[in-house]
Amino acid sequence: MEKSRLRQQFAFSLLFGLWFPCCITQTTPPNRVSPTPTPSPSPRSQTERLKVRLAGYPRKHNEGRIELFYKGEWGTICDDDFSITNAHVLCRHLGFVEATGWTHSAKYGKGQGKIWLDNVLCNGGEKSIESCKSRGWGNSDCTHDEDAGVVCKDERIPGFVDSNVIDAQVDESKVEEVRLRPVVATAKKQLPITEGVVEVKYKDGWAQICDLGWTIKNTHVVCGMLGFPHERKVNKNFYKLYLERQKNYFYIHSVACAGTEVHLAACPLEFSKPNATKSCTGGMPAVVSCMPGPLFMQNSGLKKKPKTSNNVRLKGGARRGEGRVEVLKDTEWGTVCDDRWNLQSASVVCRELGFGSAKEALTGARMGQGMGPIYMNEVKCLGHEKSIWNCPFKNTTSENCQHMEDAAVRCNVPYMGLENSIRIVGGRNSYEGRVEVQVGSKWGTVCSTGWTTKEAMVVCRQLGLGYSMHAVNETWYWDSSNVTEMAMSGVKCVGNEMSLSQCQHHKTLSCQKAAAKFAAGVICSETASDLVLNASLVQQTVYIEDRPLHMLYCAAEEDCLSKSASKANWPYGHRRLLRFSSQIHNIGRADFKPKAGRHSWVWHACHGHYHSMDIFTHYDLLTANGTKVAEGHKASFCLEDTDCQEGVSKRYECANFGDQGITVGCWDLYRHDIDCQWIDITDVKPGNYIMQIVINPNYEVAESDFTNNGMKCNCKYDGHRIWFHNCHIGDAFSEEAERRFEKYPGQLNNKIS
């Protein structure tokens, strides 16, 4: 026993000798809501701008009780003297173009806390509700029975992104940040930090929490805040002797979490009294150990790594741990409607995917709209469920939910320090610049040979700057006064990596264009487009046409026929064409616009319009093993808004050298009867095939999600007729269903056998 104690004392003495206050810690960033952008600064200050949100029930993404965040507290507006002009101003705060109505007498339920404004009188043109006349902040003779609400027109202000965010409503003046301070020497050298002393930001330093009465539920909340889905038991005896020798300041005396909170500040807390000399008698600083999700495990030594859900996923997000929530039912993926969507339900999704608790629950398709079925509505998780499928929910119908109400999440993720090994310099602002990476102790540029949107996407993600808008191959026009030597070449990414160092790259530097002006660069953006093909329309419109050669001169000029057409006896004979319609939707959060400027568009006299992209779509007919038997022309279309969702206006039209693109919420339709909307199958033998369409195949224009750019159909051709079956977007089916699709055996009597 004595030897054991001596060994323990020696171990702690060694730790004490090695330990010093460590700057590498696992920290929660302060909970932030991106400020609502307004054209001019708020009267209160140039750094603090008014936050506005919709609350209550039955709240939709564009209607609800209006609440304002002022002096660290959310409050409501009284309905006295309220008018549609007030509603216009408030809707613009929220990113909508205008209001269509307003409500009185707490239609969306009674709020809590302050009633910030009363007798508000706007003329409708104000840039902020603060500019309107009122009785002044907090001066009201109303009760919450008179809380006002607004109904906004469901049309977004172009470029507006900060709305429909449900975040933790806690008093951060008490607990702003939480971190784990590692004690064991080996834990300090690797990220993420998964075990250590729980500390909270206090004044200019950090303070501890007394562990008297500390429970596993408290640990669950702390781990969730730090980006970890699960917690582990910690060896308190290991820490006790060491921590007794340290000078501790116990800011929080006790914590009593229920385990479902998303922030420590949301738990009942007892703060230490200022004059207390010993506020943790018989206790010690709280210590926790967290289990990271599979994405963030660094040689954990675990024999069995925890699994994440295979029937829930996130789509369309720029960063790890954020995106539109999609769930798998039977064999098809679908979305979740945002009615009653909250942080508890969002946290269940985050944890089952291997992240921490939810930082934000997002409504109103903030991460883009889905295209498949909507499976869930009014999800009511308590917060402790293992999966969203274990939570109560209602099935949806097209009448009560549409994809503009798709729910999304932003999850807490562990701090990995990835942004410290990369930077962008020389650009005109902090969203663009020349890429520099740290190799060892030196910084250097990246060779731009082979530099594409996929590599640029990884850079923007690693820096936390959203999506890549452009991959820049020549950076001579940016400031080059402090250009470093080249440090990395041959970079080739899949596109989903967390850092550029995880991509393939040359072990030895090799770059044909090593001059500084050819260094790789990026332009990042918080939003991006997302193109998806209407698969069912392809299936419904397919047919065969034998078209005379004398009607195909224009098509031949644009390379829309197979190679054998050049050997045909023009103008006699015909070509057999597989025709179909394509309807391409932009379900993202930014307009899809061609990379090339108007000055470089190519005029095609035969068809009488400009082509803004050399390659926009590939059409291919494949055998079951993937061999190509026929291909459509690599379509270089004229991009325009053929039609839009209700409330969305067209912006792009090809006629008269107009701007080309596809607006968010709109689609571009290429009818089956226009030139080049086909595959030339003149030389194809009867059999079973796979029809494949890929939009934006060379990633020429940035999108938030490239996995849904492809579409496949099972195809049966008997030499005279053709049938399409199971047409679907590339990521619409489960992996099992996709495997069955690839093994398609053929069809009998127009039904798949």
Side-chain angles (χ1 to χ4, degrees), residues 635-652:
S636 48
F637 290 132
C638 151
L639 295 169
E640 65 180 358
D641 294 327
T642 305
D643 209 348
C644 302
Q645 296 175 355
E646 185 179 350
V648 180
S649 302
K650 297 180 185 179
R651 293 182 191 159
Y652 303 102

Side-chain angles (χ1 to χ4, degrees), residues 692-718:
Q692 178 176 278
I693 300 177
V694 182
I695 312 165
N696 192 19
N698 292 345
Y699 312 101
E700 189 176 330
V701 178
E703 297 185 48
S704 60
D705 186 0
F706 288 111
T707 63
N708 57 13
N709 281 32
M711 188 222 72
K712 291 181 179 180
C713 301
N714 288 133
C715 174
K716 170 70 175 180
Y717 175 47
D718 66 3

Side-chain angles (χ1 to χ4, degrees), residues 667-682:
W667 54 88
D668 194 1
L669 175 64
Y670 303 100
R671 286 174 50 89
H672 56 83
D673 54 0
I674 66 173
D675 256 12
C676 298
Q677 188 58 36
W678 62 55
I679 296 180
D680 183 349
I681 61 169
T682 306

Side-chain angles (χ1 to χ4, degrees), residues 717-735:
Y717 175 47
D718 66 3
H720 305 285
R721 296 172 300 171
I722 200 158
W723 296 270
F724 278 6
H725 291 279
N726 292 333
C727 291
H728 65 283
I729 302 302
D731 66 344
F733 284 0
S734 66
E735 291 183 12

Side-chain angles (χ1 to χ4, degrees), residues 48-82:
E48 182 186 2
R49 293 184 179 179
L50 188 67
K51 299 173 188 174
V52 183
R53 72 180 181 190
L54 297 174
Y57 181 79
R59 176 182 64 82
K60 290 279 189 180
H61 66 283
N62 62 326
E63 63 177 273
R65 182 177 64 247
I66 201 76
E67 294 192 351
L68 309 175
F69 192 74
Y70 181 74
K71 287 190 174 179
E73 187 176 350
W74 287 100
T76 61
I77 299 178
C78 181
D79 61 13
D80 291 350
D81 294 329
F82 206 85

Side-chain angles (χ1 to χ4, degrees), residues 347-490:
S347 289
V348 170
V349 169
C350 289
R351 287 186 187 270
E352 72 174 304
L353 290 172
F355 305 109
S357 52
K359 186 177 181 181
E360 295 171 352
L362 306 172
T363 61
R366 271 294 304 278
M367 292 292 175
Q369 299 182 24
M371 282 287 283
I374 302 173
Y375 287 133
M376 295 180 172
N377 188 24
E378 296 192 26
V379 180
K380 300 176 187 174
C381 298
L382 298 176
H384 55 71
E385 296 87 350
K386 299 295 183 186
S387 170
I388 190 174
W389 285 106
N390 301 137
C391 304
F393 66 89
K394 290 182 180 179
N395 293 319
T396 59
T397 63
S398 58
E399 287 77 28
N400 59 19
C401 270
Q402 298 177 9
H403 279 298
M404 63 181 66
E405 300 167 77
D406 284 342
V409 297
R410 279 200 181 101
C411 306
N412 287 314
V413 297
Y415 174 70
M416 301 295 291
L418 298 174
E419 71 278 12
N420 297 327
S421 59
I422 194 168
R423 66 191 183 193
I424 53 176
V425 296
R428 292 162 293 187
N429 54 56
S430 60
Y431 285 101
E432 64 175 51
R434 186 182 303 106
V435 178
E436 292 190 355
V437 294
Q438 188 176 27
V439 179
S441 59
K442 293 184 177 180
W443 287 88
T445 58
V446 178
C447 178
S448 65
T449 304
W451 187 255
T452 70
T453 299
K454 289 197 284 188
E455 288 74 40
M457 280 284 189
V458 175
V459 170
C460 293
R461 180 184 304 119
Q462 185 175 353
L463 288 166
L465 295 176
Y467 309 94
S468 162
M469 189 54 60
H470 293 296
V472 182
N473 295 87
E474 292 187 19
T475 53
W476 53 268
Y477 47 84
W478 283 334
D479 179 22
S480 58
S481 56
N482 294 308
V483 175
T484 55
E485 294 182 358
M486 196 159 284
M488 185 180 285
S489 63

